mmCIF file of all heavy atoms in Angstrom:
data_model
loop_
_atom_site.group_PDB
_atom_site.id
_atom_site.type_symbol
_atom_site.label_atom_id
_atom_site.label_comp_id
_atom_site.label_asym_id
_atom_site.label_seq_id
_atom_site.Cartn_x
_atom_site.Cartn_y
_atom_site.Cartn_z
ATOM 1 N N ASP A 68 1.245 -9.752 -9.296
ATOM 2 C CA ASP A 68 0.790 -8.773 -10.283
ATOM 3 C C ASP A 68 -0.318 -7.892 -9.716
ATOM 4 O O ASP A 68 -0.382 -6.690 -10.027
ATOM 5 C CB ASP A 68 0.292 -9.488 -11.541
ATOM 6 C CG ASP A 68 1.430 -10.053 -12.370
ATOM 7 O OD1 ASP A 68 2.584 -9.640 -12.153
ATOM 8 O OD2 ASP A 68 1.167 -10.924 -13.229
ATOM 9 N N LEU A 69 -1.173 -8.460 -8.888
ATOM 10 C CA LEU A 69 -2.246 -7.676 -8.278
ATOM 11 C C LEU A 69 -1.675 -6.608 -7.355
ATOM 12 O O LEU A 69 -2.074 -5.443 -7.409
ATOM 13 C CB LEU A 69 -3.193 -8.595 -7.503
ATOM 14 C CG LEU A 69 -4.384 -7.913 -6.817
ATOM 15 C CD1 LEU A 69 -5.254 -7.212 -7.842
ATOM 16 C CD2 LEU A 69 -5.201 -8.929 -6.018
ATOM 17 N N VAL A 70 -0.722 -7.006 -6.520
ATOM 18 C CA VAL A 70 -0.081 -6.047 -5.610
ATOM 19 C C VAL A 70 0.657 -4.979 -6.412
ATOM 20 O O VAL A 70 0.608 -3.781 -6.092
ATOM 21 C CB VAL A 70 0.877 -6.770 -4.650
ATOM 22 C CG1 VAL A 70 1.719 -5.766 -3.869
ATOM 23 C CG2 VAL A 70 0.105 -7.668 -3.699
ATOM 24 N N GLY A 71 1.333 -5.399 -7.475
ATOM 25 C CA GLY A 71 2.054 -4.438 -8.306
ATOM 26 C C GLY A 71 1.130 -3.444 -8.976
ATOM 27 O O GLY A 71 1.429 -2.248 -9.052
ATOM 28 N N ALA A 72 -0.034 -3.916 -9.460
ATOM 29 C CA ALA A 72 -0.999 -3.031 -10.106
ATOM 30 C C ALA A 72 -1.598 -2.043 -9.112
ATOM 31 O O ALA A 72 -1.810 -0.862 -9.432
ATOM 32 C CB ALA A 72 -2.100 -3.853 -10.769
ATOM 33 N N VAL A 73 -1.867 -2.508 -7.900
ATOM 34 C CA VAL A 73 -2.385 -1.613 -6.855
ATOM 35 C C VAL A 73 -1.342 -0.560 -6.496
ATOM 36 O O VAL A 73 -1.663 0.631 -6.343
ATOM 37 C CB VAL A 73 -2.795 -2.414 -5.604
ATOM 38 C CG1 VAL A 73 -3.096 -1.479 -4.433
ATOM 39 C CG2 VAL A 73 -4.014 -3.284 -5.907
ATOM 40 N N ALA A 74 -0.093 -0.979 -6.375
ATOM 41 C CA ALA A 74 0.984 -0.029 -6.086
ATOM 42 C C ALA A 74 1.109 0.993 -7.211
ATOM 43 O O ALA A 74 1.324 2.195 -6.963
ATOM 44 C CB ALA A 74 2.304 -0.770 -5.887
ATOM 45 N N ALA A 75 0.963 0.537 -8.451
ATOM 46 C CA ALA A 75 1.008 1.454 -9.592
ATOM 47 C C ALA A 75 -0.141 2.457 -9.517
ATOM 48 O O ALA A 75 0.025 3.642 -9.842
ATOM 49 C CB ALA A 75 0.940 0.671 -10.896
ATOM 50 N N GLY A 76 -1.308 1.992 -9.082
ATOM 51 C CA GLY A 76 -2.453 2.883 -8.941
ATOM 52 C C GLY A 76 -2.236 3.949 -7.884
ATOM 53 O O GLY A 76 -2.612 5.114 -8.064
ATOM 54 N N ILE A 77 -1.616 3.568 -6.773
ATOM 55 C CA ILE A 77 -1.320 4.539 -5.715
ATOM 56 C C ILE A 77 -0.296 5.558 -6.206
ATOM 57 O O ILE A 77 -0.413 6.763 -5.952
ATOM 58 C CB ILE A 77 -0.814 3.817 -4.454
ATOM 59 C CG1 ILE A 77 -1.938 2.952 -3.868
ATOM 60 C CG2 ILE A 77 -0.321 4.821 -3.413
ATOM 61 C CD1 ILE A 77 -1.497 2.063 -2.722
ATOM 62 N N ALA A 78 0.718 5.065 -6.935
ATOM 63 C CA ALA A 78 1.718 5.974 -7.506
ATOM 64 C C ALA A 78 1.056 6.943 -8.480
ATOM 65 O O ALA A 78 1.388 8.137 -8.517
ATOM 66 C CB ALA A 78 2.816 5.175 -8.204
ATOM 67 N N LEU A 79 0.110 6.435 -9.281
ATOM 68 C CA LEU A 79 -0.599 7.294 -10.228
ATOM 69 C C LEU A 79 -1.432 8.341 -9.505
ATOM 70 O O LEU A 79 -1.529 9.496 -9.953
ATOM 71 C CB LEU A 79 -1.481 6.439 -11.132
ATOM 72 C CG LEU A 79 -2.175 7.162 -12.287
ATOM 73 C CD1 LEU A 79 -1.150 7.748 -13.242
ATOM 74 C CD2 LEU A 79 -3.114 6.196 -13.029
ATOM 75 N N ALA A 80 -2.034 7.972 -8.380
ATOM 76 C CA ALA A 80 -2.820 8.929 -7.595
ATOM 77 C C ALA A 80 -1.943 10.063 -7.081
ATOM 78 O O ALA A 80 -2.315 11.245 -7.144
ATOM 79 C CB ALA A 80 -3.497 8.208 -6.423
ATOM 80 N N ILE A 81 -0.767 9.719 -6.573
ATOM 81 C CA ILE A 81 0.166 10.748 -6.089
ATOM 82 C C ILE A 81 0.611 11.635 -7.242
ATOM 83 O O ILE A 81 0.733 12.859 -7.106
ATOM 84 C CB ILE A 81 1.372 10.095 -5.400
ATOM 85 C CG1 ILE A 81 0.920 9.285 -4.184
ATOM 86 C CG2 ILE A 81 2.397 11.152 -4.966
ATOM 87 C CD1 ILE A 81 2.021 8.458 -3.554
ATOM 88 N N HIS A 82 0.856 11.004 -8.396
ATOM 89 C CA HIS A 82 1.247 11.773 -9.580
ATOM 90 C C HIS A 82 0.200 12.810 -9.938
ATOM 91 O O HIS A 82 0.505 13.993 -10.107
ATOM 92 C CB HIS A 82 1.477 10.825 -10.760
ATOM 93 C CG HIS A 82 1.450 11.503 -12.092
ATOM 94 N ND1 HIS A 82 2.459 12.343 -12.518
ATOM 95 C CD2 HIS A 82 0.517 11.478 -13.092
ATOM 96 C CE1 HIS A 82 2.168 12.811 -13.714
ATOM 97 N NE2 HIS A 82 0.993 12.304 -14.085
ATOM 98 N N PHE A 83 -1.058 12.373 -10.066
ATOM 99 C CA PHE A 83 -2.116 13.297 -10.452
ATOM 100 C C PHE A 83 -2.315 14.388 -9.405
ATOM 101 O O PHE A 83 -2.457 15.571 -9.741
ATOM 102 C CB PHE A 83 -3.423 12.539 -10.670
ATOM 103 C CG PHE A 83 -3.517 11.838 -11.990
ATOM 104 C CD1 PHE A 83 -4.002 10.544 -12.064
ATOM 105 C CD2 PHE A 83 -3.123 12.464 -13.155
ATOM 106 C CE1 PHE A 83 -4.094 9.889 -13.282
ATOM 107 C CE2 PHE A 83 -3.209 11.823 -14.377
ATOM 108 C CZ PHE A 83 -3.694 10.529 -14.443
ATOM 109 N N ALA A 84 -2.351 14.008 -8.141
ATOM 110 C CA ALA A 84 -2.600 14.982 -7.082
ATOM 111 C C ALA A 84 -1.512 16.052 -7.042
ATOM 112 O O ALA A 84 -1.803 17.251 -6.925
ATOM 113 C CB ALA A 84 -2.696 14.276 -5.734
ATOM 114 N N SER A 85 -0.253 15.631 -7.139
ATOM 115 C CA SER A 85 0.847 16.590 -7.059
ATOM 116 C C SER A 85 0.962 17.426 -8.326
ATOM 117 O O SER A 85 1.159 18.645 -8.262
ATOM 118 C CB SER A 85 2.166 15.864 -6.784
ATOM 119 O OG SER A 85 2.438 14.897 -7.784
ATOM 120 N N TRP A 86 0.815 16.776 -9.478
ATOM 121 C CA TRP A 86 0.971 17.517 -10.724
ATOM 122 C C TRP A 86 -0.174 18.510 -10.942
ATOM 123 O O TRP A 86 0.056 19.672 -11.308
ATOM 124 C CB TRP A 86 1.064 16.553 -11.907
ATOM 125 C CG TRP A 86 1.165 17.263 -13.220
ATOM 126 C CD1 TRP A 86 1.957 18.329 -13.522
ATOM 127 C CD2 TRP A 86 0.412 16.984 -14.402
ATOM 128 N NE1 TRP A 86 1.757 18.725 -14.813
ATOM 129 C CE2 TRP A 86 0.816 17.918 -15.379
ATOM 130 C CE3 TRP A 86 -0.549 16.019 -14.720
ATOM 131 C CZ2 TRP A 86 0.278 17.917 -16.664
ATOM 132 C CZ3 TRP A 86 -1.073 16.019 -16.005
ATOM 133 C CH2 TRP A 86 -0.656 16.965 -16.964
ATOM 134 N N PHE A 87 -1.425 18.081 -10.709
ATOM 135 C CA PHE A 87 -2.558 18.991 -10.878
ATOM 136 C C PHE A 87 -2.423 20.199 -9.952
ATOM 137 O O PHE A 87 -2.715 21.323 -10.332
ATOM 138 C CB PHE A 87 -3.873 18.258 -10.603
ATOM 139 C CG PHE A 87 -4.340 17.379 -11.733
ATOM 140 C CD1 PHE A 87 -3.478 17.017 -12.756
ATOM 141 C CD2 PHE A 87 -5.632 16.883 -11.760
ATOM 142 C CE1 PHE A 87 -3.894 16.195 -13.793
ATOM 143 C CE2 PHE A 87 -6.075 16.063 -12.789
ATOM 144 C CZ PHE A 87 -5.197 15.715 -13.811
ATOM 145 N N GLU A 88 -1.962 19.949 -8.714
ATOM 146 C CA GLU A 88 -1.786 21.061 -7.784
ATOM 147 C C GLU A 88 -0.665 21.985 -8.245
ATOM 148 O O GLU A 88 -0.735 23.202 -8.041
ATOM 149 C CB GLU A 88 -1.490 20.529 -6.381
ATOM 150 C CG GLU A 88 -1.304 21.606 -5.323
ATOM 151 C CD GLU A 88 -2.535 22.468 -5.102
ATOM 152 O OE1 GLU A 88 -3.658 22.047 -5.476
ATOM 153 O OE2 GLU A 88 -2.377 23.579 -4.544
ATOM 154 N N SER A 89 0.360 21.438 -8.869
ATOM 155 C CA SER A 89 1.466 22.282 -9.331
ATOM 156 C C SER A 89 0.988 23.303 -10.350
ATOM 157 O O SER A 89 1.558 24.406 -10.456
ATOM 158 C CB SER A 89 2.578 21.411 -9.946
ATOM 159 O OG SER A 89 2.255 20.978 -11.253
ATOM 160 N N LEU A 90 -0.056 22.959 -11.103
ATOM 161 C CA LEU A 90 -0.575 23.882 -12.114
ATOM 162 C C LEU A 90 -1.230 25.112 -11.493
ATOM 163 O O LEU A 90 -1.486 26.095 -12.189
ATOM 164 C CB LEU A 90 -1.583 23.158 -13.012
ATOM 165 C CG LEU A 90 -0.966 22.150 -13.993
ATOM 166 C CD1 LEU A 90 -2.025 21.202 -14.532
ATOM 167 C CD2 LEU A 90 -0.260 22.874 -15.128
ATOM 168 N N ASN A 91 -1.482 25.073 -10.192
ATOM 169 C CA ASN A 91 -2.008 26.247 -9.492
ATOM 170 C C ASN A 91 -0.900 27.193 -9.049
ATOM 171 O O ASN A 91 -1.182 28.282 -8.534
ATOM 172 C CB ASN A 91 -2.817 25.817 -8.261
ATOM 173 C CG ASN A 91 -4.091 25.100 -8.622
ATOM 174 O OD1 ASN A 91 -4.730 25.400 -9.627
ATOM 175 N ND2 ASN A 91 -4.479 24.114 -7.813
ATOM 176 N N HIS A 92 0.357 26.778 -9.211
ATOM 177 C CA HIS A 92 1.463 27.559 -8.681
ATOM 178 C C HIS A 92 2.527 27.906 -9.709
ATOM 179 O O HIS A 92 3.461 28.650 -9.393
ATOM 180 C CB HIS A 92 2.122 26.798 -7.529
ATOM 181 C CG HIS A 92 1.181 26.455 -6.418
ATOM 182 N ND1 HIS A 92 0.853 27.354 -5.414
ATOM 183 C CD2 HIS A 92 0.473 25.327 -6.165
ATOM 184 C CE1 HIS A 92 -0.009 26.780 -4.587
ATOM 185 N NE2 HIS A 92 -0.255 25.554 -5.017
ATOM 186 N N THR A 93 2.406 27.384 -10.904
ATOM 187 C CA THR A 93 3.391 27.682 -11.941
ATOM 188 C C THR A 93 2.697 27.610 -13.295
ATOM 189 O O THR A 93 1.517 27.274 -13.379
ATOM 190 C CB THR A 93 4.585 26.696 -11.871
ATOM 191 O OG1 THR A 93 5.602 27.121 -12.768
ATOM 192 C CG2 THR A 93 4.161 25.281 -12.195
ATOM 193 N N SER A 94 3.394 27.916 -14.346
ATOM 194 C CA SER A 94 2.787 27.951 -15.675
ATOM 195 C C SER A 94 2.635 26.552 -16.250
ATOM 196 O O SER A 94 3.246 25.587 -15.779
ATOM 197 C CB SER A 94 3.635 28.807 -16.622
ATOM 198 O OG SER A 94 4.862 28.161 -16.883
ATOM 199 N N VAL A 95 1.840 26.435 -17.295
ATOM 200 C CA VAL A 95 1.640 25.154 -17.959
ATOM 201 C C VAL A 95 2.958 24.607 -18.486
ATOM 202 O O VAL A 95 3.299 23.439 -18.278
ATOM 203 C CB VAL A 95 0.619 25.300 -19.112
ATOM 204 C CG1 VAL A 95 0.625 24.056 -20.003
ATOM 205 C CG2 VAL A 95 -0.785 25.550 -18.561
ATOM 206 N N ALA A 96 3.726 25.455 -19.176
ATOM 207 C CA ALA A 96 4.973 24.983 -19.779
ATOM 208 C C ALA A 96 5.943 24.462 -18.723
ATOM 209 O O ALA A 96 6.558 23.414 -18.893
ATOM 210 C CB ALA A 96 5.624 26.111 -20.582
ATOM 211 N N ALA A 97 6.090 25.196 -17.621
ATOM 212 C CA ALA A 97 7.021 24.779 -16.575
ATOM 213 C C ALA A 97 6.556 23.491 -15.903
ATOM 214 O O ALA A 97 7.332 22.552 -15.725
ATOM 215 C CB ALA A 97 7.171 25.886 -15.533
ATOM 216 N N SER A 98 5.280 23.428 -15.543
ATOM 217 C CA SER A 98 4.759 22.258 -14.837
ATOM 218 C C SER A 98 4.840 20.998 -15.691
ATOM 219 O O SER A 98 5.346 19.959 -15.260
ATOM 220 C CB SER A 98 3.305 22.505 -14.415
ATOM 221 O OG SER A 98 2.741 21.349 -13.834
ATOM 222 N N VAL A 99 4.325 21.083 -16.915
ATOM 223 C CA VAL A 99 4.285 19.912 -17.779
ATOM 224 C C VAL A 99 5.693 19.466 -18.169
ATOM 225 O O VAL A 99 5.955 18.280 -18.339
ATOM 226 C CB VAL A 99 3.435 20.201 -19.035
ATOM 227 C CG1 VAL A 99 3.422 19.008 -19.969
ATOM 228 C CG2 VAL A 99 2.009 20.552 -18.634
ATOM 229 N N THR A 100 6.600 20.416 -18.295
ATOM 230 C CA THR A 100 7.973 20.079 -18.666
ATOM 231 C C THR A 100 8.708 19.412 -17.517
ATOM 232 O O THR A 100 9.364 18.383 -17.690
ATOM 233 C CB THR A 100 8.735 21.338 -19.110
ATOM 234 O OG1 THR A 100 8.090 21.909 -20.239
ATOM 235 C CG2 THR A 100 10.169 20.993 -19.486
ATOM 236 N N ILE A 101 8.598 19.970 -16.331
ATOM 237 C CA ILE A 101 9.317 19.411 -15.184
ATOM 238 C C ILE A 101 8.843 18.003 -14.870
ATOM 239 O O ILE A 101 9.644 17.129 -14.526
ATOM 240 C CB ILE A 101 9.164 20.331 -13.956
ATOM 241 C CG1 ILE A 101 9.923 21.633 -14.189
ATOM 242 C CG2 ILE A 101 9.687 19.650 -12.694
ATOM 243 C CD1 ILE A 101 9.675 22.696 -13.153
ATOM 244 N N VAL A 102 7.554 17.749 -14.999
ATOM 245 C CA VAL A 102 7.045 16.412 -14.694
ATOM 246 C C VAL A 102 7.600 15.378 -15.675
ATOM 247 O O VAL A 102 7.621 14.185 -15.390
ATOM 248 C CB VAL A 102 5.499 16.401 -14.697
ATOM 249 C CG1 VAL A 102 4.946 16.281 -16.105
ATOM 250 C CG2 VAL A 102 4.961 15.274 -13.815
ATOM 251 N N GLN A 103 8.100 15.847 -16.820
ATOM 252 C CA GLN A 103 8.613 14.929 -17.809
ATOM 253 C C GLN A 103 10.109 14.641 -17.673
ATOM 254 O O GLN A 103 10.721 14.100 -18.598
ATOM 255 C CB GLN A 103 8.316 15.455 -19.216
ATOM 256 C CG GLN A 103 6.841 15.449 -19.568
ATOM 257 C CD GLN A 103 6.206 14.077 -19.474
ATOM 258 O OE1 GLN A 103 6.887 13.063 -19.555
ATOM 259 N NE2 GLN A 103 4.895 14.035 -19.284
ATOM 260 N N VAL A 104 10.710 14.955 -16.526
ATOM 261 C CA VAL A 104 12.070 14.475 -16.269
ATOM 262 C C VAL A 104 12.045 13.012 -15.843
ATOM 263 O O VAL A 104 13.075 12.422 -15.533
ATOM 264 C CB VAL A 104 12.798 15.320 -15.192
ATOM 265 C CG1 VAL A 104 12.899 16.763 -15.606
ATOM 266 C CG2 VAL A 104 12.129 15.175 -13.831
ATOM 267 N N GLN A 105 10.869 12.413 -15.881
ATOM 268 C CA GLN A 105 10.696 11.026 -15.467
ATOM 269 C C GLN A 105 11.631 10.033 -16.158
ATOM 270 O O GLN A 105 11.972 9.007 -15.552
ATOM 271 C CB GLN A 105 9.250 10.595 -15.687
ATOM 272 C CG GLN A 105 8.751 10.805 -17.109
ATOM 273 C CD GLN A 105 7.612 9.875 -17.454
ATOM 274 O OE1 GLN A 105 7.693 8.683 -17.246
ATOM 275 N NE2 GLN A 105 6.550 10.430 -18.003
#
Side-chain angles (χ1 to χ4, degrees):
D68 286 344
L69 181 60
V70 170
V73 170
I77 294 173
L79 187 62
I81 298 172
H82 162 71
F83 281 136
S85 58
W86 177 45
F87 282 16
E88 181 62 19
S89 78
L90 288 163
N91 292 326
H92 303 277
T93 188
S94 69
V95 168
S98 175
V99 178
T100 299
I101 291 171
V102 82
Q103 292 302 337
V104 301
Q105 55 155 310

